[in-house]
Amino acid sequence: MEADNSATDWVARSLKSVWHPCTQMQHHETVPLVAVSHGRGAWLYDHDGKRYLDAISSWWVNLFGHANARINAELKDQLDRLEHAMLAGFTHEPVVRLSEQLSSMTGNVLGHAFYASDGASAVEIALKMSFHAWRNAGRATKQEFVCLKGSYHGETIGALAVTDVALFKDAYGPLLRAARVVASPDARGALEGESAQDVARRAANDVEALFAERADHIAAIIIEPLVQCATGMAMHDPLYLQLVRALCDRYQVHMIVDEIAVGCGRTGTFFACEQAAIWPDFLCLSKGISGGYLPLSLVLTRDEIYQAFYSTDVTRGFLHSHSYTGNPLACRAALATLAIFRDDDVLNRNKLRAANLTAALAPLADDPRVRHFRQRGMIWAFDAIEPDPARAATFSRRFFAAALENELLLRPIGTTVYLMPPYVLGDDESALLAERTRKVFDQVMQA
């Protein structure tokens, strides 16, 4: 390991050999690439010793800080026991314990867990399971999927088909099977005099109209509950989930909730759908479930879905697999993550953290250059008012670069600035994050 190499050297070597994700590589001619040396708590450090507050949890995955001692200890113990074994024909303690605990957290409504590695793969699994379950039930015409306007569920082919973000989807249109798109319950769409619940009702009416016409052909609707993240942290009232759950029951359509980004306490409850007091037919988890340590995703589903595949006939089985399905190390990291939630009363402590940071960000809520300041659990967002299209197009890159200069890792979505910090911020770190975010916003808007 060449730890004595400079940050400049690592950046140059990376640009020559690594194709970075979700990136127009040419932009790195002007936008900095940071070579990370190590992390501690909420901070990342480069090879020159400069630190950056990880205010987006490294793409929403890191819950309890970098190099967390408790998760480290569990992984070190697991390394000496079992690093991996195939889950076809075998099982192991971490995957069993994790499946049991997650099911228990749903009141055993969602009784079986199917594992993969990344969020998009979990979405693929849920889509395939829904389609195949209807086929096994003798309802093979139910082949269509419904997604929300502005939805994002991943970038593999199936997940991209139920994504409605043109930037990610348009280039691959000929490869995709079209989904049906219904109105988003985004509370920012409220008409004069309307509440967030009114928007939720309007959006649910759109779902009902489609179901009334096409239910015999629709397998499932997929929803990112409470917050549609990649479309710009679009937040909606829990009433929408209640209404759609009732519609799914009435019209016999599966409900898939994508909690990849919004689960694991991010919206204030462990599962976002708890705030609507409903359970879906399929629940997708990834990102924070392993504490940000190892790739892990899973789909929780109801026993009646599981039973639709249970047969002596191999062709009725769910013959989907990934080589690292249920990896013991990743499952052990997830078990450590769940233990921290339990032992440290994380959800209640996060209420205090959220209140403190919301108060510190209050000047932005009143800034005339800002609209729709919003917060749900440990997610904050606001939309910058940038009337110049050329400046709006470069806002995210300029903000990212200015944030790095101010020791922050922030990566806006278009002109939406959002914060999704790990659940370990102290009062001083919250104050610093709020003060520096306001400072960076001023710099970018005035430049």
Side-chain angles (χ1 to χ4, degrees):
M1 186 173 180
E2 302 173 64
D4 58 342
N5 283 11
S6 70
T8 301
D9 185 51
W10 285 116
V11 167
R13 289 167 62 180
S14 186
L15 292 174
K16 287 182 178 179
S17 61
V18 180
W19 198 335
H20 292 266
C22 201
T23 300
Q24 169 49 263
M25 292 298 293
Q26 191 272 346
H27 289 162
H28 279 307
E29 292 182 8
T30 55
V31 177
L33 182 68
V34 179
V36 176
S37 167
H38 62 283
R40 290 288 183 274
W43 297 88
L44 294 168
Y45 296 83
D46 68 19
H47 286 264
D48 295 330
K50 186 173 181 180
R51 67 178 189 169
Y52 307 90
L53 182 62
D54 190 355
I56 59 170
S57 299
S58 289
W59 254 350
W60 322 343
V61 301
N62 186 283
L63 301 189
F64 299 119
H66 298 280
N68 181 283
R70 291 167 66 179
I71 301 176
N72 287 357
E74 294 292 315
L75 285 174
K76 289 172 183 175
D77 178 76
Q78 186 63 42
L79 277 169
D80 289 329
R81 296 172 181 267
L82 177 67
E83 82 299 336
H84 185 65
M86 61 188 285
L87 207 60
F90 292 82
T91 194
H92 51 77
E93 180 182 346
V95 78
V96 172
R97 289 174 55 209
L98 179 58
S99 302
E100 290 174 342
Q101 289 186 28
L102 289 171
S103 178
S104 177
M105 293 169 71
T106 72
N108 298 311
V109 173
L110 304 178
H112 286 83
F114 197 101
Y115 289 85
S117 298
D118 57 89
S121 295
V123 169
E124 298 276 347
I125 288 165
L127 297 174
K128 288 177 65 177
M129 274 186 179
S130 174
F131 168 88
H132 200 164
W134 287 122
R135 178 184 172 188
N136 283 354
R139 303 191 65 180
T141 61
K142 293 174 76 67
Q143 300 180 7
E144 298 177 1
F145 294 99
V146 180
C147 65
L148 275 56
K149 182 175 176 59
S151 59
Y152 174 90
H153 299 289
E155 293 163 41
T156 52
I157 296 300
L160 199 57
V162 290
T163 287
D164 186 51
V165 179
L167 178 65
F168 300 115
K169 184 174 183 176
D170 282 0
Y172 308 103
L175 300 178
L176 306 177
R177 180 172 181 172
R180 296 189 176 272
V181 181
V182 292
S184 168
D186 182 356
R188 292 175 297 179
L191 304 175
E192 186 174 356
E194 277 193 327
S195 67
Q197 288 201 340
D198 292 329
V199 180
R201 290 188 183 93
R202 275 200 289 115
N205 288 341
D206 197 36
V207 175
E208 182 170 18
L210 177 62
F211 282 8
E213 178 186 352
R214 299 290 302 173
D216 287 344
H217 300 276
I218 295 172
I221 182 171
I222 183 167
I223 299 167
E224 198 173 13
L226 301 186
V227 186
Q228 291 178 255
C229 293
T231 196
M233 302 299 160
M235 300 185 183
H236 61 258
D237 192 274
L239 176 64
Y240 179 75
L241 302 175
Q242 296 174 350
L243 296 173
V244 173
R245 175 70 271 181
L247 291 171
C248 287
D249 292 340
R250 186 190 316 166
Y251 288 97
Q252 295 186 309
V253 172
H254 289 150
M255 184 180 190
I256 302 170
V257 297
D258 173 354
E259 297 220 6
I260 290 159
V262 299
C264 301
R266 184 54 72 179
T267 63
T269 48
F270 188 84
F271 298 110
C273 60
E274 291 180 74
Q275 295 181 46
I278 63 101
W279 294 112
D281 301 295
F282 304 89
L283 190 151
C284 303
L285 280 180
S286 189
K287 290 191 182 292
I289 189 60
S290 72
Y293 267 69
L294 289 163
L296 180 67
S297 67
L298 60 101
V299 178
L300 295 169
T301 192
R302 294 174 181 262
D303 285 342
E304 50 264 42
I305 301 293
Y306 177 81
Q307 290 299 328
F309 294 88
Y310 201 82
S311 171
T312 58
D313 184 351
V314 172
T315 65
R316 290 177 63 87
F318 189 61
L319 306 181
H320 184 103
S321 63
H322 297 268
S323 299
Y324 283 91
T325 291
N327 174 260
L329 287 167
C331 290
R332 189 72 181 270
L335 287 166
T337 298
L338 295 184
I340 294 172
F341 270 101
R342 290 192 304 270
D343 297 346
D344 291 1
D345 195 21
V346 168
L347 295 176
N348 282 323
R349 290 188 177 188
N350 276 356
K351 291 178 183 177
L352 297 176
R353 289 190 181 95
N356 289 339
L357 187 51
T358 299
L361 291 167
L364 283 168
D366 298 326
D367 193 309
R369 301 166 298 177
V370 165
R371 61 186 165 196
H372 302 306
F373 181 92
R374 52 202 181 274
Q375 176 259 335
R376 168 84 61 177
M378 292 291 287
I379 305 174
W380 293 261
F382 61 89
D383 302 327
I385 299 174
E386 180 50 87
D388 182 345
R391 285 176 54 82
T394 62
F395 177 88
S396 178
R397 297 200 300 276
R398 291 185 289 115
F399 196 103
F400 172 71
L404 291 179
E405 293 174 358
N406 285 274
E407 297 187 319
L408 298 184
L409 171 53
L410 286 172
R411 187 181 167 105
I413 301 169
T415 54
T416 296
V417 179
Y418 74 89
L419 288 71
M420 290 178 69
Y423 308 159
V424 295
L425 290 187
D427 291 345
D428 290 345
E429 289 169 325
S430 290
L432 181 147
L433 174 56
E435 185 272 327
R436 299 282 178 89
T437 300
R438 299 197 307 266
K439 179 181 176 182
V440 171
F441 181 67
D442 282 337
Q443 289 178 353
V444 174
M445 294 300 286
Q446 293 171 7

Tab-separated table of all heavy atoms in Angstrom, residues 8 17 60 109 113 124 151 303 308 320 332 334 349 372 383-384 386:
chain	number	residue	atom	x	y	z
A	8	THR	N	-2.456	14.421	-5.127
A	8	THR	CA	-2.400	14.747	-6.561
A	8	THR	C	-2.093	13.518	-7.386
A	8	THR	O	-2.670	13.297	-8.454
A	8	THR	CB	-1.341	15.835	-6.807
A	8	THR	OG1	-1.673	16.999	-6.049
A	8	THR	CG2	-1.279	16.198	-8.289
A	17	SER	N	-7.410	5.584	-14.857
A	17	SER	CA	-7.753	4.156	-14.789
A	17	SER	C	-9.168	3.854	-14.317
A	17	SER	O	-9.658	2.742	-14.534
A	17	SER	CB	-6.777	3.443	-13.846
A	17	SER	OG	-6.865	3.981	-12.523
A	60	TRP	N	-25.737	8.413	0.930
A	60	TRP	CA	-26.873	8.024	1.750
A	60	TRP	C	-26.705	6.655	2.405
A	60	TRP	O	-27.692	6.051	2.836
A	60	TRP	CB	-28.183	8.064	0.942
A	60	TRP	CG	-28.287	9.203	-0.037
A	60	TRP	CD1	-27.539	10.352	-0.059
A	60	TRP	CD2	-29.173	9.323	-1.152
A	60	TRP	NE1	-27.910	11.180	-1.094
A	60	TRP	CE2	-28.909	10.566	-1.798
A	60	TRP	CE3	-30.177	8.510	-1.663
A	60	TRP	CZ2	-29.610	11.006	-2.921
A	60	TRP	CZ3	-30.871	8.958	-2.780
A	60	TRP	CH2	-30.588	10.186	-3.400
A	109	VAL	N	-45.281	-9.387	9.401
A	109	VAL	CA	-46.139	-9.276	8.213
A	109	VAL	C	-45.334	-9.623	6.972
A	109	VAL	O	-45.830	-10.300	6.058
A	109	VAL	CB	-46.720	-7.850	8.102
A	109	VAL	CG1	-47.466	-7.668	6.772
A	109	VAL	CG2	-47.645	-7.557	9.276
A	113	ALA	N	-37.069	-12.936	3.460
A	113	ALA	CA	-36.124	-11.975	2.877
A	113	ALA	C	-35.348	-12.646	1.753
A	113	ALA	O	-34.834	-13.755	1.930
A	113	ALA	CB	-35.154	-11.461	3.941
A	124	GLU	N	-35.152	-4.982	-9.061
A	124	GLU	CA	-35.332	-6.021	-10.086
A	124	GLU	C	-36.008	-7.260	-9.484
A	124	GLU	O	-36.910	-7.848	-10.089
A	124	GLU	CB	-33.977	-6.426	-10.678
A	124	GLU	CG	-33.215	-5.334	-11.377
A	124	GLU	CD	-33.630	-5.133	-12.819
A	124	GLU	OE1	-34.341	-5.990	-13.368
A	124	GLU	OE2	-33.242	-4.099	-13.393
A	151	SER	N	-39.963	9.529	-10.451
A	151	SER	CA	-39.440	8.447	-9.614
A	151	SER	C	-38.060	7.994	-10.085
A	151	SER	O	-37.697	8.129	-11.259
A	151	SER	CB	-40.399	7.257	-9.637
A	151	SER	OG	-40.570	6.779	-10.964
A	303	ASP	N	-45.944	-13.694	3.242
A	303	ASP	CA	-45.948	-15.146	3.120
A	303	ASP	C	-46.771	-15.620	1.929
A	303	ASP	O	-46.443	-16.636	1.304
A	303	ASP	CB	-46.496	-15.782	4.400
A	303	ASP	CG	-45.496	-15.733	5.550
A	303	ASP	OD1	-44.295	-15.529	5.275
A	303	ASP	OD2	-45.910	-15.897	6.710
A	308	ALA	N	-46.763	-18.533	-3.260
A	308	ALA	CA	-47.083	-18.614	-4.690
A	308	ALA	C	-45.977	-19.317	-5.474
A	308	ALA	O	-46.222	-19.798	-6.592
A	308	ALA	CB	-47.304	-17.214	-5.252
A	320	HIS	N	-33.808	-16.832	-9.264
A	320	HIS	CA	-33.000	-15.618	-9.367
A	320	HIS	C	-31.837	-15.780	-8.398
A	320	HIS	O	-31.999	-16.312	-7.303
A	320	HIS	CB	-33.854	-14.407	-8.977
A	320	HIS	CG	-33.154	-13.093	-9.130
A	320	HIS	ND1	-33.401	-12.230	-10.181
A	320	HIS	CD2	-32.218	-12.475	-8.360
A	320	HIS	CE1	-32.658	-11.142	-10.049
A	320	HIS	NE2	-31.937	-11.267	-8.949
A	332	ARG	N	-23.483	-9.524	8.744
A	332	ARG	CA	-22.973	-9.234	10.090
A	332	ARG	C	-22.889	-7.724	10.316
A	332	ARG	O	-23.191	-7.226	11.408
A	332	ARG	CB	-21.600	-9.880	10.272
A	332	ARG	CG	-21.057	-9.846	11.693
A	332	ARG	CD	-21.793	-10.796	12.625
A	332	ARG	NE	-21.248	-10.706	13.979
A	332	ARG	CZ	-20.242	-11.448	14.450
A	332	ARG	NH1	-19.685	-12.375	13.666
A	332	ARG	NH2	-19.821	-11.290	15.690
A	334	ALA	N	-24.886	-5.601	8.951
A	334	ALA	CA	-26.275	-5.192	9.127
A	334	ALA	C	-26.766	-5.510	10.531
A	334	ALA	O	-27.491	-4.709	11.145
A	334	ALA	CB	-27.156	-5.871	8.081
A	349	ARG	N	-32.979	9.819	19.604
A	349	ARG	CA	-31.867	10.763	19.600
A	349	ARG	C	-31.834	11.573	18.308
A	349	ARG	O	-31.463	12.755	18.301
A	349	ARG	CB	-30.540	10.021	19.803
A	349	ARG	CG	-30.361	9.454	21.202
A	349	ARG	CD	-28.960	8.916	21.406
A	349	ARG	NE	-28.783	8.441	22.774
A	349	ARG	CZ	-27.619	8.057	23.286
A	349	ARG	NH1	-26.523	8.103	22.529
A	349	ARG	NH2	-27.533	7.636	24.527
A	372	HIS	N	-39.350	26.336	-0.866
A	372	HIS	CA	-39.656	24.963	-0.451
A	372	HIS	C	-38.588	24.385	0.491
A	372	HIS	O	-38.120	23.254	0.292
A	372	HIS	CB	-39.830	24.045	-1.658
A	372	HIS	CG	-40.895	24.459	-2.604
A	372	HIS	ND1	-42.196	24.690	-2.226
A	372	HIS	CD2	-40.843	24.728	-3.937
A	372	HIS	CE1	-42.910	25.061	-3.269
A	372	HIS	NE2	-42.121	25.102	-4.317
A	383	ASP	N	-34.797	24.436	-2.488
A	383	ASP	CA	-34.590	24.684	-3.909
A	383	ASP	C	-34.074	26.104	-4.101
A	383	ASP	O	-34.691	27.070	-3.631
A	383	ASP	CB	-35.899	24.501	-4.670
A	383	ASP	CG	-36.495	23.117	-4.482
A	383	ASP	OD1	-35.713	22.160	-4.342
A	383	ASP	OD2	-37.732	22.996	-4.455
A	384	ALA	N	-32.935	26.211	-4.767
A	384	ALA	CA	-32.374	27.523	-5.071
A	384	ALA	C	-33.143	28.156	-6.227
A	384	ALA	O	-33.447	27.485	-7.225
A	384	ALA	CB	-30.900	27.398	-5.436
A	386	GLU	N	-32.842	30.128	-9.228
A	386	GLU	CA	-31.803	30.530	-10.171
A	386	GLU	C	-32.450	30.700	-11.542
A	386	GLU	O	-32.603	29.725	-12.297
A	386	GLU	CB	-30.682	29.482	-10.207
A	386	GLU	CG	-29.546	29.789	-11.161
A	386	GLU	CD	-28.995	31.193	-10.982
A	386	GLU	OE1	-28.096	31.373	-10.143
A	386	GLU	OE2	-29.478	32.115	-11.675
